[in-house]
Amino acid sequence: MATLLRSKLSNVATSVSNKSQAKVSGMFARMGFQAATDEEAVGFAHCDDLDFEHRQGLQMDILKAEGEPGGDEGAEPPVEGDIHYQRGDGAPLPPSGSKDQALGAGGEFGGHDKPKITAWEAGWNVTNAIQGMFVLGLPYAILHGGYLGLFLIIFAAVVCCYTGKILIACLYEENEDGEVVRVRDSYVAIANACCAPRFPTLGGRVVNVAQIIELVMTCILYVVVSGNLMYNSFPGLPVSQKSWSIIATAVLLPCAFLKNLKAVSKFSLLCTLAHFVINILVIAYCLSRARDWAWEKVKFYIDVKKFPISIGIIVFSYTSQIFLPSLEGNMQQPSEFHCMMNWTHIAACVLKGLFALVAYLTWADETKEVITDNLPGSIRAVVNIFLVAKALLSYPLPFFAAVEVLEKSLFQEGSRAFFPACYGGDGRLKSWGLTLRCALVVFTLLMAIYVPHFALLMGLTGSLTGAGLCFLLPSLFHLRLLWRKLLWHQVFFDVAIFVIGGICSVSGFVHSLEGLIEAYRTNAED
């Protein structure tokens, strides 16, 4: 009797348990989850054990590293479950359950073990990018745009500042706790996230292609401007502009052997200071002729055929979006990024506008593609020599960046690589890697020889890749990734920038291409 009673009670308990499990499973299923079976529960427990052992191993490695000279000897490490991993500053990482927090605190995207830079240092880097020697072509943009060209200098500064901010916003997302954390680390990562899940690598490839084109075109412009400046500095010598470009390329050929930029980076500050002095000399000469300024030449009309080229020139002078994600990730206070972008672009807008206007007022309709060619012979030779030195010292930076993108895309993606690795096991550059670099240097020379037109090339590059990287892609990515969180005016700004940028890009590219074809035919006839 007792046995029968226990059996019935057991059956009732089992039935109740099964019904409860069924209700719980149904509830989780309606919420979008699936209840784990007994076998899955055992698997989860096994994974937890393995994860715990792995974390213990990591902790032992960290403790060994901290036990080396210079650490706190005799200090006992805190043991608090999963949160006892130590960062470089001794602060614990967030709990392991929050992957986004770990990334944002110092994981793959945080870069906590790298030296951080201040907002002033970040602003200096942005200033170098948007106020380089390509401002020498801005007076030529005023020649074909008048007051509308000045307005575009201001408008481009505002738009590029805004798109830089929204590009950085695409690096962040809210985690399960509602905290905003950094989940991406580069322009390519943002592009890939926008194209996922159907085409997870398409966006990155598009950005890489645009980046390579812009970097290579920048190298070509340095060779073109070097040949142009030397030819106009010494017109009496029996050396053509093409020959000067060949001489400049011969000087640049050792760039093919670069493994890092440590040797080159030492000259970056000197180059920037030299360019600052050159701008001061040009403005001082223009101010000395203030009585002869041709204010009546600055009008509101535009040259329909050549003004779109001016748009490309102005846009190209503001391109800095490529390296902004890396720059923001290395700032000590990322919250100061917006303020830094504001004052750097305001300063750039004021200085570029004044430089372009003052230079154009001085030479009016005689303004040349490179404004220093308008200077008197004695001053021009000295200024141009400094500019050539700056151009040659600046060439390795975009060249090395283009080589790195090419090598990573074609040679270093494991099973997806198209060609064997450029480096051997001992770290030495292989023959085909050296051939790739030499071929890139020669390609920049050939382009500089056959298309020796600084303003047209600058306008073409600005219209093709500058507008895409600065206007089109940031606004498109912002709409794609943050659509549900954007306010109506943000959506309006993004759509307006995309439409206006698209029109300017197509128009500038077509007219720049027509200008290059016309110039090529003229040279062929001569």
Side-chain angles (χ1 to χ4, degrees):
M1 185 66 180
T3 303
L4 181 60
L5 183 59
R6 283 195 301 269
S7 177
K8 289 184 178 181
L9 291 175
S10 178
N11 292 336
V12 171
T14 302
S15 178
V16 172
S17 177
N18 291 337
K19 290 181 181 180
S20 300
Q21 290 182 4
K23 291 181 180 180
V24 173
S25 299
M27 180 183 66
F28 276 95
R30 287 190 296 271
M31 295 174 63
F33 299 94
Q34 183 178 358
T37 62
D38 293 339
E39 293 180 356
E40 291 173 336
V42 173
F44 294 154
H46 182 59
C47 289
D48 290 339
D49 293 338
L50 292 177
D51 182 69
F52 179 77
E53 293 174 4
H54 175 66
R55 292 174 181 274
Q56 288 292 336
L58 289 177
Q59 175 64 11
M60 293 302 296
D61 293 338
I62 295 173
L63 291 178
K64 288 179 181 179
E66 291 180 350
E68 295 176 0
D72 297 334
E73 298 182 358
E76 295 184 359
V79 179
E80 299 179 4
D82 289 338
I83 63 172
H84 63 279
Y85 307 107
Q86 299 298 309
R87 298 177 61 186
D89 56 359
L93 282 172
S96 60
S98 178
K99 178 181 178 181
D100 294 337
Q101 289 180 4
L103 292 175
E108 180 182 356
F109 307 121
H112 61 273
D113 54 348
K114 295 182 180 180
K116 299 291 185 177
I117 60 175
T118 63
W120 287 100
E121 293 170 332
W124 176 257
N125 288 323
V126 174
T127 301
N128 288 338
I130 63 178
Q131 297 197 140
M133 65 183 302
F134 295 117
V135 300
L136 298 176
L138 291 180
Y140 188 76
I142 303 299
L143 172 65
H144 299 296
Y147 286 111
L148 188 56
L150 288 174
F151 170 77
L152 279 178
I153 292 177
I154 301 173
F155 178 76
V158 174
V159 173
C160 288
C161 180
Y162 173 77
T163 55
K165 294 176 182 178
I166 64 176
L167 184 67
I168 296 303
C170 294
L171 298 173
Y172 291 84
E173 287 185 3
E174 289 186 1
N175 61 8
E176 60 274 13
D177 297 326
E179 300 176 350
V180 179
V181 293
R182 204 171 198 259
V183 297
R184 303 178 186 94
D185 63 337
S186 65
Y187 207 139
V188 173
I190 296 173
N192 285 334
C194 289
C195 294
R198 291 186 177 181
F199 308 101
T201 61
L202 176 62
R205 294 185 185 279
V206 171
V207 171
N208 278 335
V209 170
Q211 184 177 355
I212 291 173
I213 293 175
E214 179 158 332
L215 292 171
V216 172
M217 291 298 289
T218 302
C219 294
I220 295 171
L221 285 169
Y222 282 133
V223 178
V224 170
V225 78
S226 298
N228 180 285
L229 292 174
M230 292 302 294
Y231 176 73
N232 287 283
S233 299
F234 306 100
L237 295 179
V239 183
S240 64
Q241 181 175 338
K242 296 180 180 179
S243 300
W244 281 118
S245 297
I246 294 174
I247 295 172
T249 306
V251 176
L252 295 171
L253 195 58
C255 292
F257 300 91
L258 283 176
K259 288 188 176 180
N260 55 64
L261 292 176
K262 289 183 179 179
V264 181
S265 60
K266 297 178 182 178
F267 300 99
S268 61
L269 179 60
L270 295 178
C271 290
T272 304
L273 293 177
H275 183 63
F276 180 76
V277 173
I278 291 169
N279 287 345
I280 293 298
L281 291 176
V282 173
I283 292 178
Y285 177 81
C286 294
L287 292 176
S288 68
R289 296 183 53 188
R291 294 181 179 179
D292 301 326
W293 280 359
W295 285 98
E296 69 279 0
K297 295 291 185 178
V298 187
K299 299 180 180 180
F300 288 96
Y301 78 92
I302 61 175
D303 188 333
V304 178
K305 289 187 176 181
K306 294 185 178 180
F307 181 67
I309 303 174
S310 302
I311 298 176
I313 294 174
I314 294 172
V315 171
F316 185 76
S317 68
Y318 280 105
T319 54
S320 64
Q321 270 74 358
I322 291 177
F323 67 88
L324 287 183
S326 174
L327 189 69
E328 190 265 353
N330 286 284
M331 289 180 63
Q332 292 177 357
Q333 300 291 336
S335 59
E336 298 177 352
F337 178 82
H338 283 205
C339 180
M340 180 273 296
M341 288 289 289
N342 289 337
W343 63 260
T344 52
H345 282 73
I346 290 174
C349 174
V350 172
L351 294 178
K352 287 181 178 181
L354 289 177
F355 181 85
L357 179 60
V358 168
Y360 175 73
L361 289 174
T362 303
W363 289 287
D365 294 338
E366 297 179 359
T367 301
K368 297 183 179 180
E369 292 185 6
V370 182
I371 195 61
T372 55
D373 290 341
N374 288 102
L375 292 171
S378 57
I379 302 177
R380 181 174 66 240
V382 176
V383 171
N384 284 356
I385 288 175
F386 277 101
L387 281 174
V388 170
K390 174 179 170 53
L392 296 179
L393 290 173
S394 301
Y395 180 95
L397 298 173
F399 174 81
F400 189 78
V403 168
E404 279 196 324
V405 175
L406 285 172
E407 290 179 348
K408 183 178 180 181
S409 302
L410 302 179
F411 297 88
Q412 298 178 3
E413 290 192 348
S415 60
R416 295 181 296 172
F418 294 96
F419 305 102
C422 291
Y423 295 91
D426 55 355
R428 293 184 179 180
L429 188 65
K430 293 184 179 179
S431 57
W432 54 82
L434 181 60
T435 303
L436 168 69
R437 294 171 175 228
C438 293
L440 189 58
V441 176
V442 174
F443 175 75
T444 60
L445 169 63
L446 295 176
M447 288 292 295
I449 289 177
Y450 288 103
V451 195
H453 302 282
F454 179 76
L456 292 176
L457 279 176
M458 190 174 171
L460 180 68
T461 308
S463 300
L464 182 62
T465 61
L469 294 172
C470 294
F471 292 174
L472 304 181
L473 294 182
S475 56
L476 184 62
F477 294 164
H478 196 225
L479 291 170
R480 173 68 176 83
L481 295 176
L482 302 175
W483 171 260
R484 297 182 179 179
K485 301 177 183 178
L486 298 180
L487 301 177
W488 70 267
H489 66 274
Q490 293 175 312
V491 175
F492 174 78
F493 288 154
D494 290 348
V495 173
I497 290 172
F498 185 84
V499 173
I500 296 174
I503 296 173
C504 294
S505 177
V506 174
S507 176
F509 176 77
V510 171
H511 286 85
S512 297
L513 200 58
E514 289 179 350
L516 287 174
I517 294 174
E518 182 180 352
Y520 182 78
R521 289 176 178 175
T522 303
N523 293 336
E525 293 175 357
D526 296 339

